């Protein structure tokens, strides 16, 4: 990012902070809740929290506060949060618009000012000054319980500004790189004084929990591939995907394969199909995924899921689907690889270690537009094929077709 862009970004953050502080004094409260939990994470982080902390915090609130509870969450997680059913109401926020669009931001802050809470809990350590911290600031709560910040998304100065509006800080160990699971378990224990046990999210997508409409819209695949992520640098090269798919098609010509992605991902999926066509191999079907819930159901029903480090890879692991992840070094050991005890050895993380790992994606190598980071480029097609063969062999021994 150029110095000019950095300066503009910084100026925008502090302009938003100024508006936040003005709204802090607006008396608009009308609706009463016992508690709110603020989790504005992206998909992957949110799924980890649902497995390791959400249940215990929900039980803590039910045991200690009488009244209705509200979850404030990223709107992409809305439907699955409803499916979990821990909260009486959910307030979704489009976090991209909230951080970029001032009219949307002001409208959202006004709506949040209408609520009164006995307690507001913000249990995410990777806080952002104009996201999580803004929401906890604006909340009308007698008690504000906020996780201490880590330095991934926020500067020391910005974190200390946010701390001023907490009535109690939840301490965390910031001295070592740990998996997000360990952060979540530590924060949850410091709130509830309860040890955290893993919640099996696949249960919430069982046929007993779903409507007939949910079940009928799901088609089963042997292999689902999600060839994109939130940033091109974290994407395994398109040519590599085409090489891997070609080898799989050569050895298992009847395997049912599908691409999974949003409309924003179509160009990449079409490009890989063009490469397959050049090799005289069948194109992969692009699945018309209707929403996040639909994607979860497709991944749960698949024999194997392959993807870059993204929210859907965490979904595959959470839903116990054998999963292969192309893993870079930007946040190595923070979100992936998972500790062995948390994925039953049905997840394989492919990475090529480099001295520059844990760079927070401030890559020391120049990454051209639409190209992969060097650590992602270095993951070989052979290693991916061998991982696929291993998972397919184990899957065929255990269950011929996964079902809802």
């Amino acid at each position: 990012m150029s110095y000019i862009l950095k300066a503009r970004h910084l100026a925008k953050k502090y302009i938003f902070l100024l508006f936040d502080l003005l709204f802090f004094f607006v008396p608009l409260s009308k609706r009463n809740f016992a508690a709110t939990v603020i989790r504005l994470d992206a998909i992957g982080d949110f799924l980890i929290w649902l497995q390791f902390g959400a249940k215990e915090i929900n039980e803590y609130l039910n045991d200690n506060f009488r009244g209705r509870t509200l979850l404030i969450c990223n709107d992409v997680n809305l439907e699955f949060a409803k499916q979990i059913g821990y909260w009486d109401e959910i307030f979704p926020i489009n976090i991209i618009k909230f951080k970029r669009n001032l009219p949307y931001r002001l409208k959202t802050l006004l709506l949040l000012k209408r609520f009164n809470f006995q307690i507001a809990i913000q249990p995410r350590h990777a806080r952002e000054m104009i996201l999580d911290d803004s929401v906890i600031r604006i909340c009308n709560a007698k008690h504000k319980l906020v996780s201490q910040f880590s330095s991934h998304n926020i500067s020391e100065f910005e974190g200390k500004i946010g701390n001023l509006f907490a009535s109690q800080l939840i301490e965390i160990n910031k001295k070592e790189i740990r998996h997000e699971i360990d952060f979540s378990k530590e924060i949850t224990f410091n709130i509830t004084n309860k040890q955290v046990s893993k919640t099996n999210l696949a249960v919430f997508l069982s046929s007993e929990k779903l409507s007939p409409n949910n079940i009928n819209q799901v088609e089963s695949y042997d292999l689902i591939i999600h060839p994109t992520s939130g940033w091109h640098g974290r994407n395994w090269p398109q040519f590599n995907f085409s090489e891997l798919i070609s080898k799989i098609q050569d050895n298992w010509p009847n395997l049912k394969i599908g691409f999974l992605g949003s409309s924003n991902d179509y160009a990449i999926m079409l490009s890989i199909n063009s490469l397959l066509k050049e090799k005289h191999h069948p194109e992969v079907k692009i699945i018309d995924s209707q929403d996040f819930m639909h994607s979860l159901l497709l991944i749960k029903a698949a024999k194997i899921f392959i993807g870059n480090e993204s929210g859907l890879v965490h979904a595959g692991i959470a839903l116990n689907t054998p999963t292969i992840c192309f893993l870079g070094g930007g946040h190595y050991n923070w979100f992936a690889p998972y500790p062995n005890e948390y994925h039953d050895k049905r997840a394989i993380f492919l990475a090529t270690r480099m001295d520059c790992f844990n760079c927070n994606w401030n890559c020391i190598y120049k990454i051209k537009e639409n190209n992969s980071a060097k650590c992602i480029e270095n993951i070989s097609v052979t290693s991916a094929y061998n991982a696929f063969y291993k998972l397919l062999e184990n899957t065929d021994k255990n269950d011929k077709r996964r079902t809802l």
Side-chain angles (χ1 to χ4, degrees):
M1 188 185 293
S2 71
Y3 289 114
I4 294 175
L5 288 176
K6 285 182 179 179
R8 286 176 60 187
H9 178 67
L10 190 64
K12 189 173 186 179
K13 283 204 296 186
Y14 284 97
I15 290 170
F16 279 2
L17 175 62
L18 178 61
F19 275 100
D20 290 356
L21 295 175
L22 292 174
F23 271 80
F24 186 73
F25 299 102
V26 178
L28 291 174
S29 305
K30 291 183 180 179
R31 297 189 61 200
N32 293 321
F33 287 85
T36 184
V37 180
I38 301 161
R39 286 298 306 208
L40 293 166
D41 321 65
I43 291 169
D45 315 43
F46 188 72
L47 291 174
I48 290 173
W49 177 67
L50 287 179
Q51 294 171 87
F52 299 97
K55 175 172 66 73
E56 286 76 12
I57 290 177
N58 182 60
E59 290 171 350
Y60 167 78
L61 293 176
N62 288 336
D63 290 344
N64 293 279
F65 298 89
R66 305 183 73 177
R68 295 169 64 77
T69 57
L70 176 75
L71 173 70
I72 302 173
C73 73
N74 187 330
D75 64 350
V76 299
N77 297 316
L78 174 62
E79 293 305 317
F80 192 50
K82 287 180 181 177
Q83 188 71 19
I84 297 295
Y86 288 162
W87 307 276
D88 295 300
E89 291 188 35
I90 301 175
F91 185 97
I93 295 177
N94 182 317
I95 63 170
I96 294 175
K97 290 175 67 176
F98 188 74
K99 293 194 289 185
R100 297 180 183 176
N101 184 313
L102 186 57
Y104 176 84
R105 182 182 182 86
L106 298 181
K107 179 182 177 182
T108 302
L109 293 174
L110 279 171
L111 290 172
L112 288 171
K113 283 291 290 184
R114 297 177 65 233
F115 304 135
N116 273 326
F117 307 101
Q118 296 175 47
I119 186 171
I121 299 178
Q122 201 292 91
R124 180 182 179 224
H125 68 97
R127 290 160 33 191
E128 296 182 53
M129 185 178 76
I130 60 170
L131 185 60
D132 322 74
D133 284 6
S134 292
V135 172
I136 196 73
R137 267 196 302 271
I138 210 71
C139 282
N140 295 307
K142 294 178 181 177
H143 190 50
K144 296 182 180 183
L145 199 55
V146 179
S147 170
Q148 185 59 275
F149 63 92
S150 59
S151 57
H152 298 287
N153 295 331
I154 198 169
S155 70
E156 193 77 16
F157 175 70
E158 292 169 351
K160 287 180 178 179
I161 291 175
N163 289 353
L164 294 174
F165 295 88
S167 52
Q168 182 180 341
L169 285 174
I170 310 159
E171 293 301 325
I172 58 171
N173 178 2
K174 300 193 288 183
K175 294 181 180 179
E176 57 186 64
I177 297 171
R178 294 181 295 154
H179 197 276
E180 183 67 13
I181 291 172
D182 297 318
F183 275 115
S184 188
K185 290 174 71 173
E186 179 188 21
I187 292 167
T188 303
F189 178 80
N190 288 340
I191 294 171
T192 67
N193 202 31
K194 286 184 179 180
Q195 296 295 336
V196 175
S197 59
K198 182 180 179 181
T199 298
N200 182 7
L201 298 187
V203 170
F204 296 98
L205 295 179
S206 63
S207 56
E208 294 80 14
K209 297 278 187 180
L210 296 168
S211 69
N213 183 55
N214 284 138
I215 296 172
N216 293 336
Q217 69 180 350
V218 177
E219 186 177 358
S220 294
Y221 288 81
D222 296 302
L223 171 62
I224 286 183
I225 299 172
H226 179 56
T228 67
S229 68
W231 173 55
H232 64 83
R234 291 164 69 164
N235 294 347
W236 201 45
Q238 296 169 30
F239 179 80
N240 289 10
F241 271 113
S242 71
E243 288 286 294
L244 174 62
I245 295 167
S246 299
K247 293 185 73 168
I248 292 171
Q249 290 173 335
D250 286 341
N251 289 280
W252 293 277
N254 297 320
L255 209 68
K256 189 175 180 181
I257 306 175
F259 278 140
L260 181 60
S262 68
S263 57
N264 295 330
D265 306 323
Y266 269 41
I268 290 175
M269 295 185 285
L270 289 172
S271 178
I272 298 171
N273 271 339
S274 294
L275 291 169
L276 288 170
K277 195 173 181 180
E278 289 176 10
K279 303 173 195 291
H280 305 290
H281 278 74
E283 295 183 17
V284 172
K285 180 181 178 181
I286 297 176
I287 304 167
D288 182 20
S289 179
Q290 298 161 22
D291 50 40
F292 179 47
M293 274 291 291
H294 185 218
S295 296
L296 290 178
L297 294 171
L298 286 163
I299 292 170
K300 184 176 184 290
K303 273 189 178 182
I304 294 174
F305 178 71
I306 296 177
N308 302 301
E309 185 191 359
S310 67
L312 292 187
V313 156
H314 293 289
I317 296 166
L319 298 174
N320 307 314
T321 299
T323 298
I324 297 170
C325 172
F326 300 110
L327 178 61
H331 296 149
Y332 195 81
N333 278 334
W334 179 10
F335 293 103
Y338 278 55
N340 288 333
E341 62 266 30
Y342 295 126
H343 62 77
D344 299 329
K345 298 181 180 178
R346 285 189 282 189
I348 298 176
F349 301 91
L350 300 176
T352 304
R353 290 302 302 262
M354 299 174 68
D355 292 339
C356 54
F357 266 33
N358 298 113
C359 65
N360 204 28
W361 289 115
N362 296 312
C363 190
I364 62 173
Y365 300 97
K366 186 175 181 179
I367 304 172
K368 295 180 180 178
E369 186 66 28
N370 297 324
N371 282 18
S372 309
K374 192 174 181 64
C375 53
I376 300 288
E377 272 184 353
N378 288 344
I379 301 170
S380 70
V381 174
T382 300
S383 65
Y385 177 80
N386 290 340
F388 172 79
Y389 180 82
K390 179 181 178 180
L391 288 183
L392 185 65
E393 189 177 40
N394 291 338
T395 302
D396 282 341
K397 286 178 184 177
N398 298 323
D399 53 355
K400 294 293 181 183
R401 173 72 68 180
R402 291 166 58 81
T403 61
L404 295 175

mmCIF file of all heavy atoms in Angstrom, residues 8 16 24 35 84:
data_model
loop_
_atom_site.group_PDB
_atom_site.id
_atom_site.type_symbol
_atom_site.label_atom_id
_atom_site.label_comp_id
_atom_site.label_asym_id
_atom_site.label_seq_id
_atom_site.Cartn_x
_atom_site.Cartn_y
_atom_site.Cartn_z
ATOM 1 N N ARG A 8 -4.613 8.177 3.637
ATOM 2 C CA ARG A 8 -6.061 8.309 3.440
ATOM 3 C C ARG A 8 -6.820 7.343 4.334
ATOM 4 O O ARG A 8 -7.846 7.698 4.938
ATOM 5 C CB ARG A 8 -6.406 8.055 1.970
ATOM 6 C CG ARG A 8 -6.019 9.188 1.028
ATOM 7 C CD ARG A 8 -6.302 8.833 -0.416
ATOM 8 N NE ARG A 8 -7.713 8.545 -0.639
ATOM 9 C CZ ARG A 8 -8.189 8.074 -1.787
ATOM 10 N NH1 ARG A 8 -7.375 7.861 -2.812
ATOM 11 N NH2 ARG A 8 -9.481 7.842 -1.921
ATOM 12 N N PHE A 16 -14.099 8.607 11.203
ATOM 13 C CA PHE A 16 -15.147 7.715 11.695
ATOM 14 C C PHE A 16 -15.165 7.696 13.218
ATOM 15 O O PHE A 16 -16.231 7.670 13.840
ATOM 16 C CB PHE A 16 -14.937 6.306 11.149
ATOM 17 C CG PHE A 16 -15.430 6.101 9.735
ATOM 18 C CD1 PHE A 16 -15.977 7.141 9.012
ATOM 19 C CD2 PHE A 16 -15.352 4.863 9.132
ATOM 20 C CE1 PHE A 16 -16.439 6.969 7.727
ATOM 21 C CE2 PHE A 16 -15.821 4.666 7.837
ATOM 22 C CZ PHE A 16 -16.364 5.723 7.137
ATOM 23 N N PHE A 24 -21.973 8.798 20.739
ATOM 24 C CA PHE A 24 -21.891 8.279 22.095
ATOM 25 C C PHE A 24 -22.829 9.029 23.042
ATOM 26 O O PHE A 24 -23.332 8.465 24.008
ATOM 27 C CB PHE A 24 -20.441 8.380 22.585
ATOM 28 C CG PHE A 24 -20.199 7.753 23.920
ATOM 29 C CD1 PHE A 24 -20.172 6.373 24.062
ATOM 30 C CD2 PHE A 24 -19.989 8.542 25.041
ATOM 31 C CE1 PHE A 24 -19.943 5.797 25.300
ATOM 32 C CE2 PHE A 24 -19.763 7.977 26.277
ATOM 33 C CZ PHE A 24 -19.733 6.592 26.408
ATOM 34 N N ALA A 35 -28.582 -9.003 27.535
ATOM 35 C CA ALA A 35 -27.179 -9.036 27.128
ATOM 36 C C ALA A 35 -27.045 -9.010 25.615
ATOM 37 O O ALA A 35 -27.962 -9.396 24.881
ATOM 38 C CB ALA A 35 -26.523 -10.299 27.675
ATOM 39 N N ILE A 84 -28.051 -22.016 14.656
ATOM 40 C CA ILE A 84 -27.503 -22.408 15.962
ATOM 41 C C ILE A 84 -28.537 -22.184 17.059
ATOM 42 O O ILE A 84 -28.712 -23.007 17.953
ATOM 43 C CB ILE A 84 -26.215 -21.609 16.262
ATOM 44 C CG1 ILE A 84 -25.133 -21.924 15.224
ATOM 45 C CG2 ILE A 84 -25.715 -21.897 17.680
ATOM 46 C CD1 ILE A 84 -24.635 -23.333 15.217
#
